[in-house]
């Protein structure tokens, strides 16, 4: 037994199937057109036949030459008409003047009619342009002859309005002419502003005149859109506009099909309907004029709104801004391509209007909060009752206001973070510490601080709400009343049943598991599915993918911004409320710890803010630095805060579950705060700087022991590098006392030698230990006023060289720098320093002979360390001995001779540059082959 549906249901099913077939046919036609284009592009044109006696090709196309000639002719005629009007006007009587100008104007305007019939469009355009210019001259002549007593501005306003009307009628009557209508639109920009400039009775203000002109331009741009046509092909019938009654859900013009039978109007989706422009080029021209005049009106209204002293004074500019917003919303609703920018302008104008009234009624410093609350209200309206087409622009406008409000408060956040630096000149000079506002270093009004705090928290809350809605997979868009901007037809919204499949079962909805996705346009027309571009759209549209899959980047940015702004808002609570010193320190430490927890536990913010780790880390480091500087006001606060921060950062570094870079940064920061804590201990004990250096050395020692315990942990190497930096600080502090400096260098060498026990640190730490030991020896000798360093250094050099000889016997491949470098440097370098300060000739001579012997030995045995060290010491020793004689010779020579010799040297090197370069490479290769 067959289950036949009722006639109404079967009719609905047939309508739906026809719509699907039309859509598929449109896709296939688009694909066919694209394939034809590709095939035609790949087919190479046949080569031209050889014509040896053919004429050369013309330099320009015939059409271009024709247009150029017609343009020049029109310009010349225009110049002649202007000259006749301005110069030869007085030679004729009133009748002759009127007859000449009238006859020429009528002839110029009537000629295009006959020319268009003969398909001479370019000539018709030139004469039409001449006729338009003659009409302007007629208006000028009329004012000079008959209406000379009329005011210039008033006459110009009336004349421009009449000319715009006449040119519009002329352009509409001759549709093939492209000049009259744009010129009419451009002339229509003048009447109302000129009327406003007359300042006569009844003249509108300039801002309202500009807004009315912009409204007229919008109407013209919307009129120039053309008529809707069907893309589905000729088989779908001819589309026409049917006016629905007010009883339906969607009033207005709806597309219907003349070929639909059985009294049922065939329907097309909006994606299958486009508009054919009735006047090419008129719509963008009118839109540009609307943007210019409307923009000036908005600027004037905005300037008046921000300078109003009372709410009553702000009502007038607010009304102007709201009227402009209404015009922009109308343009956005009627013109889908311009919906985003027009709705964005409408949103900004609405916020500016309402915020201006609020600004005039609140105390100073709260105006930003007033504008922000208006943008919040606009977002709520967008979420609940705005059509889908207007949502992207309105949301962008509200988002821009939110961003500007947050930027206004950034100076306060920066001042709160860096303000404690202004109190560094009073370290440990107070028993109670400054208040939160006193620590800023700059006097700020209290109401402004409180308003900035509220702004930060409100923007953070809105960003968190947006991130939550983007995350929710079940949030769907509820169509607002009157929202028909989606692609579903009115028949589908009525809840008609789905068409049955051949098996008799209903067709599953798109996106159901096991159902293939609907076919999209093929070929070049294919593209990503349309998505809602609004921010925050707060839930996907019906049939769209979930927000968590569609907008991961926006959700991450919103969540991260919410965390950053919330942290900044809470950080400025103390100065906003003028809290005491202890309360400020406590709150800042807690906020730093909270940001640190978010940085080391990414899973806590993975849902709302996947990219919150870098921001949380930056907040924690900035907060730690600020509170550490603020804690220097009192001694107990310094030790408490530095100890707490060091422990918290160290614990976070070893328990972090985020990226290794986060662990490394935290470990380095913890080491730095530990160094600052030891420096505070030394300052509390009133130790001199060179004694404090010995205490600072506890940091690299502890880091070396901890790194040995950690092994290959990711934080080991960054901690060791930071410990080495702390050791460098200790060396700098000990430079004021030479014996202590030698001790610090020796202790540093011991730490480096202990680190070199580990195989992975042996190459770098071993060399560092040797260098530090040698430096410690030299500094100690210099501190003891030893004039004969060889008596001490030779005792080190001889055993070191003996050890090097044994090393080379066991391992002939060992480097000479490892075997002989430390031993030779231990004697040669101190002796060289002593020789440069010795006035006697014996030490330089002995040092030079020893260096020469080492150089020759190194060259003979091909040992790099002996050759380089011996040659460098020999050269420096010879330079020291010959320097006085060189100075005397240079003083005797003419002053021009050294530059001349330098120039000749450069010329010689430049002339033999390639040879010198080969020699340098050969020398480098020779040294590189040495051991």
């Amino acid at each position: 037994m067959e289950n036949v549906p009722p006639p109404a249901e079967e009719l609905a099913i047939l309508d739906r199937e026809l719509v699907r077939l039309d859509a598929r046919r449109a896709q296939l036609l688009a694909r066919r057109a694209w394939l034809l284009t590709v095939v035609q592009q790949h087919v190479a044109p046949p080569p031209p036949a050889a014509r040896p006696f053919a004429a050369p090709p013309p330099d320009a196309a015939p059409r271009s030459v024709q247009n150029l000639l017609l343009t020049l002719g029109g310009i010349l005629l225009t110049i002649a008409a202007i000259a006749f009007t301005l110069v030869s006007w007085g030679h004729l009587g009133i009748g002759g003047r009127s007859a000449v100008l009238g006859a020429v104007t009528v002839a110029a305007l009537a000629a295009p009619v006959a020319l268009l019939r003969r398909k001479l469009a370019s000539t018709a355009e030139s004469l039409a342009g001449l006729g338009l210019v003659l009409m302007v001259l007629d208006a000028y002549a009329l004012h000079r002859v008959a209406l000379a007593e009329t005011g210039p501005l008033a006459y110009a306003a009336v004349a421009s309005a009449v000319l715009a009307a006449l040119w519009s009628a002329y352009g509409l009557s001759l549709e093939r002419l492209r000049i009259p209508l744009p010129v009419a639109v451009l002339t229509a920009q003048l009447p109302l502003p000129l009327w406003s400039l007359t300042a006569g009775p009844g003249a509108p203000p300039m801002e309202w005149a500009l807004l009315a002109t912009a409204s007229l331009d919008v109407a013209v741009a919307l009129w120039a859109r053309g008529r809707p046509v069907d893309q589905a092909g000729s088989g779908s019938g001819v589309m026409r506009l049917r006016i629905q009654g007010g009883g339906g859900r969607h009033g207005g013009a709806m597309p219907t099909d003349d070929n639909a039978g059985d009294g049922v109007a065939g329907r097309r989706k909006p994606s299958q309907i486009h508009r054919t422009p009735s006047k090419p080029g008129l719509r963008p021209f009118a839109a540009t004029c609307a943007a210019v005049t409307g923009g000036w009106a908005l600027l004037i209204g905005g300037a008046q709104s921000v300078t109003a002293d009372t709410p009553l004074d702000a009502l007038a500019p607010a009304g102007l801004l709201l009227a402009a917003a209404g015009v922009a919303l109308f343009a956005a609703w009627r013109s889908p391509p311009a919906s985003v920018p027009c709705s964005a302008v409408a949103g900004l104008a609405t916020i500016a209007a309402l915020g201006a009234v609020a600004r005039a009624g609140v105390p100073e410093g709260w105006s930003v909060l007033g504008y922000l609350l208006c943008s919040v209200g606009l977002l709520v309206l967008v979420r609940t009752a705005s059509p889908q087409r207007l949502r992207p622009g309105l949301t962008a406008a509200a988002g821009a206001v939110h961003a500007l409000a947050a930027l206004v408060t950034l100076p306060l956040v920066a001042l709160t973070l860096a303000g404690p630096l202004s109190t560094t000149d009073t370290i440990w000079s107070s028993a109670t510490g400054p208040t939160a506002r006193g620590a800023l270093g700059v006097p700020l009004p209290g109401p402004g601080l409180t308003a900035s705090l509220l702004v930060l928290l409100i923007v953070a809350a809105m960003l968190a709400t947006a991130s939550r809605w983007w995350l929710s997979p079940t949030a769907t868009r509820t169509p607002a009343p009157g929202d028909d901007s989606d692609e579903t037809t009115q028949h589908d919204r009525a809840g008609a049943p789905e068409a049955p499949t051949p098996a008799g079962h209903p067709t599953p909805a798109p996106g159901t598991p096991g159902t293939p996705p609907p076919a999209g346009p093929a070929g070049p027309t294919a593209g990503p599915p349309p998505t809602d571009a609004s921010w925050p759209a707060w839930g996907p549209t019906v049939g769209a993918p979930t927000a968590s899959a569609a907008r991961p980047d926006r959700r991450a940015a919103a969540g991260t911004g919410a965390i950053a702004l919330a942290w900044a808002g809470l950080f400025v609570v103390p100065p906003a409320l003028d809290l005491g010193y202890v309360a400020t320190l406590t709150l800042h430490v807690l906020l730093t710890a909270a940001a640190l927890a978010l940085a080391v536990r990414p899973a806590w913010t993975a849902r709302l803010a996947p990219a919150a780790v870098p921001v949380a880390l930056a907040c924690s480091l900035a907060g730690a630095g600020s509170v550490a500087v603020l804690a220097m006001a009192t001694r107990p606060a310094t030790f408490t805060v530095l100890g707490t921060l060091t422990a918290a950062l160290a614990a976070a570094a070893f328990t972090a579950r985020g990226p290794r870079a986060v662990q490394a940064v935290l470990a380095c920061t913890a080491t730095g705060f530990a160094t600052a804590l030891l420096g505070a201990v030394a300052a509390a004990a009133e130790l001199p700087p060179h004694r404090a250096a010995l205490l600072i050395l506890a940091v690299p020692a502890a880091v070396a022991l901890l790194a040995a315990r950690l092994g290959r942990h990711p934080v080991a190497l960054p901690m060791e590098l930071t410990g080495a930096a702390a050791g460098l600080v200790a060396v700098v502090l000990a430079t004021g006392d030479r014996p202590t400096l030698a001790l610090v260098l020796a202790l540093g060498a011991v730490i480096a030698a202990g680190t070199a026990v580990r195989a992975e640190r042996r190459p770098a730490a071993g060399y560092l230990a040797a260098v530090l030991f040698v430096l410690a020896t030299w500094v100690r000798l210099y501190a003891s006023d030893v004039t004969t360093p060889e008596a001490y250094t030779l005792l080190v050099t001889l055993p070191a060289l003996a050890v090097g000889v044994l090393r080379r016997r066991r391992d002939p491949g060992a480097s000479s720098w490892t075997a002989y470098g430390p031993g030779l440097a231990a004697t040669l370098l101190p002796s060289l320093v002593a020789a440069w300060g010795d006035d006697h000739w014996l030490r330089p001579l002995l040092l030079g002979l020893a260096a020469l012997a080492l150089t020759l030995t190194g060259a003979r045995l091909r040992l790099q360390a002996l050759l380089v060290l011996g040659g460098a010491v020999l050269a420096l020793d010879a330079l020291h001995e010959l320097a006085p004689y060189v100075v005397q010779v240079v003083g005797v020579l003419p002053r021009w001779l050294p530059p001349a010799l330098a120039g000749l040297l450069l010329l010689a090197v430049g002339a033999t540059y390639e040879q010198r370069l080969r020699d340098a490479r050969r020398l480098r290769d020779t040294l590189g082959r040495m051991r």
Side-chain angles (χ1 to χ4, degrees):
M1 180 177 178
E2 297 182 359
N3 186 13
V4 179
E9 183 178 352
E10 185 178 1
L11 185 59
I13 293 172
L14 292 178
D15 288 342
R16 208 161 30 246
E17 289 297 332
L18 289 174
V19 170
R20 292 175 183 173
L21 290 175
D22 291 341
R24 182 58 180 166
R25 185 177 185 276
Q27 296 168 8
L28 294 177
L29 287 175
R31 179 65 177 178
R32 180 180 181 276
W34 177 75
L35 291 175
L36 288 176
T37 304
V38 173
V39 171
Q40 292 174 1
Q41 290 176 355
H42 286 287
V43 175
R51 300 177 61 186
F53 301 102
D59 294 335
R63 179 66 63 180
S64 301
V65 175
Q66 179 189 16
N67 293 335
L68 177 62
L69 294 176
L70 292 173
T71 303
L72 292 177
I75 292 175
L76 292 177
L77 289 176
T78 303
I79 294 175
I82 295 174
F84 169 77
T85 304
L86 298 179
V87 178
S88 301
W89 184 258
H91 298 288
L92 298 176
I94 184 63
R97 302 171 189 175
S98 303
V100 170
L101 272 181
V104 174
T105 302
V106 171
L109 293 177
V113 178
L115 293 174
L116 288 176
R117 292 176 183 174
R118 297 178 177 270
K119 298 183 179 180
L120 299 176
S122 299
T123 308
E125 292 284 355
S126 300
L127 291 179
L130 176 61
L132 300 182
V133 175
L134 290 175
M135 292 182 70
V136 176
L137 295 178
D138 289 338
Y140 169 75
L142 181 63
H143 180 263
R144 290 292 303 271
V145 173
L147 302 174
E149 298 179 357
T150 307
L153 290 177
Y155 181 79
V158 175
S160 58
V162 173
L163 289 176
L166 293 176
W167 290 344
S168 300
Y170 185 70
L172 291 175
S173 61
L174 299 177
E175 293 185 353
R176 294 180 58 186
L177 293 179
R178 293 175 296 178
I179 292 179
L181 286 180
V183 174
V185 171
L186 183 61
T187 308
Q189 313 304 308
L190 301 177
L192 292 178
L194 290 176
W195 185 21
S196 175
L197 291 176
T198 59
M206 178 58 71
E207 60 273 15
W208 284 100
L210 292 172
L211 181 58
T213 305
S215 303
L216 179 62
D217 295 333
V218 169
V220 172
L222 294 177
W223 168 81
R225 286 195 303 169
R227 63 183 185 277
V229 297
D230 187 10
Q231 289 182 351
S234 59
S236 301
V238 179
M239 296 300 298
R240 60 184 176 86
L241 291 180
R242 178 172 59 87
I243 306 300
Q244 276 194 335
R249 178 180 174 182
H250 301 279
M254 294 294 294
T256 62
D257 193 345
D258 290 340
N259 295 342
D262 297 334
V264 179
R267 293 172 172 82
R268 303 288 181 266
K269 293 185 178 181
S271 61
Q272 298 173 307
I273 300 173
H274 71 284
R275 291 180 177 269
T276 302
S278 59
K279 292 295 180 181
L282 180 60
R283 185 183 182 188
F285 192 83
T288 303
C289 293
V292 173
T293 54
W296 279 108
L298 288 174
L299 288 177
I300 296 175
Q304 292 176 353
S305 66
V306 298
T307 57
D309 297 329
T310 62
L312 188 60
D313 295 337
L315 288 179
L320 173 71
L321 294 173
L322 289 177
V327 174
L329 282 178
F330 177 77
W333 179 252
R334 297 299 302 271
S335 179
S339 60
V340 174
C342 291
S343 57
V345 171
L348 291 175
T350 303
I351 294 173
L354 301 179
V357 178
R359 182 202 63 82
V362 297
E364 183 180 2
W366 289 79
S367 57
V368 176
L369 182 59
Y371 285 103
L372 179 61
L373 291 178
C374 294
S375 66
V376 172
L378 180 61
L379 277 180
V380 174
L381 181 64
V382 168
R383 173 70 184 94
T384 56
S386 67
Q388 184 68 22
R389 182 183 297 174
L390 305 181
R391 286 190 178 186
L394 293 177
T395 309
V401 175
H402 278 68
L404 289 176
L407 287 177
V408 170
T409 59
L410 286 184
L412 174 61
V413 179
L415 190 61
T416 306
L417 289 172
L421 292 175
S422 62
T423 61
T424 53
D425 55 343
T426 58
I427 296 178
W428 293 355
S429 61
S430 175
T432 59
T435 61
R437 291 183 185 174
L440 295 178
V442 178
L444 293 177
L449 297 178
T450 306
S452 299
L453 167 63
L454 295 177
V455 166
L456 287 171
L457 295 181
I458 290 174
V459 175
M462 295 303 296
L463 287 176
T465 304
S467 178
R468 181 178 63 85
W469 271 101
W470 276 330
L471 176 66
S472 174
T474 58
T476 57
R477 183 179 70 89
T478 302
D483 185 3
D484 57 353
S485 58
D486 56 358
E487 294 190 357
T488 59
T489 62
Q490 190 179 18
H491 177 76
D492 295 332
R493 291 191 187 100
E498 296 291 335
T501 59
H505 299 285
T507 303
T512 305
T515 304
T525 60
T531 57
D532 183 15
S534 61
W535 182 92
W538 301 355
T541 59
V542 177
T546 59
S548 58
R551 303 182 182 88
D553 296 336
R554 292 184 179 183
R555 177 170 57 85
T560 303
I563 291 176
L565 292 179
W567 185 87
L570 295 176
F571 205 83
V572 300
V573 167
L577 303 181
D578 198 16
L579 300 181
Y581 182 68
V582 177
T584 301
L585 284 179
T586 303
L587 181 58
H588 284 183
V589 170
L590 291 177
L591 289 174
T592 302
L596 198 59
L598 294 180
V600 300
R601 288 294 185 271
W604 293 356
T605 58
R607 288 179 58 82
L608 291 178
V613 172
V615 175
L617 179 62
C619 291
S620 62
L621 296 181
S626 177
V627 73
V629 176
L630 183 60
M632 293 181 182
T634 62
R635 184 172 302 185
T638 300
F639 291 108
T640 303
V641 171
L642 289 179
T644 303
L645 292 177
T646 302
L649 289 169
F654 293 108
T655 60
R657 298 179 182 176
R660 292 185 176 182
V662 175
Q663 293 180 304
V665 171
L666 293 176
C668 295
T669 309
T671 306
F673 276 103
T675 305
L677 180 59
L678 291 180
V681 171
E686 299 182 355
L687 297 178
H690 63 277
R691 295 294 179 86
L694 297 175
L695 185 61
I696 297 297
L697 278 179
V699 174
V703 168
L705 293 176
L706 184 58
R709 175 67 178 172
L710 294 175
R712 297 184 180 274
H713 196 277
V715 304
L717 181 59
M719 285 184 61
E720 289 177 291
L721 295 177
T722 311
L728 183 61
V729 172
V731 171
V732 173
L733 290 175
T735 53
D737 188 78
R738 294 169 187 169
T740 306
L741 177 60
L743 178 59
V744 169
L745 291 173
L747 292 177
V750 171
I751 297 173
T755 304
V757 174
R758 299 161 54 195
E760 66 274 11
R761 300 287 187 264
R762 187 169 299 159
Y767 288 116
L768 180 61
V771 171
L772 290 177
F773 272 126
V774 172
L775 289 177
T777 303
W778 294 345
V779 172
R780 186 62 206 176
L781 293 178
Y782 184 70
S784 301
D785 296 330
V786 174
T787 58
T788 309
E790 294 82 3
Y792 300 92
T793 57
L794 287 176
L795 299 178
V796 178
T797 297
L798 294 178
L801 293 178
V803 172
V805 171
L806 294 177
R807 171 70 183 278
R808 289 275 298 176
R809 286 181 178 179
R810 293 182 180 180
D811 184 12
S815 174
S816 61
W817 288 100
T818 304
Y820 308 122
L824 293 175
T827 294
L828 289 178
L829 297 182
S831 299
L832 179 63
V833 174
W836 273 57
D838 193 353
D839 297 333
H840 202 265
W841 57 273
L842 181 59
R843 175 175 295 172
L845 177 61
L846 295 178
L847 180 61
L849 293 175
L852 178 62
L854 286 175
T855 304
L856 296 177
T857 304
R860 176 68 180 80
L861 300 179
R862 303 183 65 80
L863 297 176
Q864 190 180 93
L866 275 66
L867 179 62
V868 173
L869 285 176
V873 172
L874 179 61
L876 292 175
D877 185 61
L879 178 63
H880 174 264
E881 294 301 315
L882 297 177
Y885 304 102
V886 173
V887 171
Q888 293 178 3
V889 172
V890 171
V892 174
L893 294 176
R895 293 186 177 182
W896 57 266
L897 188 58
L901 293 176
L904 290 175
L905 178 62
L906 292 177
L907 289 176
V909 173
T912 60
Y913 176 74
E914 297 295 336
Q915 182 62 34
R916 302 286 80 79
L917 191 60
R918 286 193 293 269
D919 295 341
R921 291 173 179 171
R922 190 180 301 111
L923 178 61
R924 183 194 62 187
D925 296 338
T926 302
L927 287 176
R929 288 192 294 269
M930 292 182 178
R931 289 290 180 182

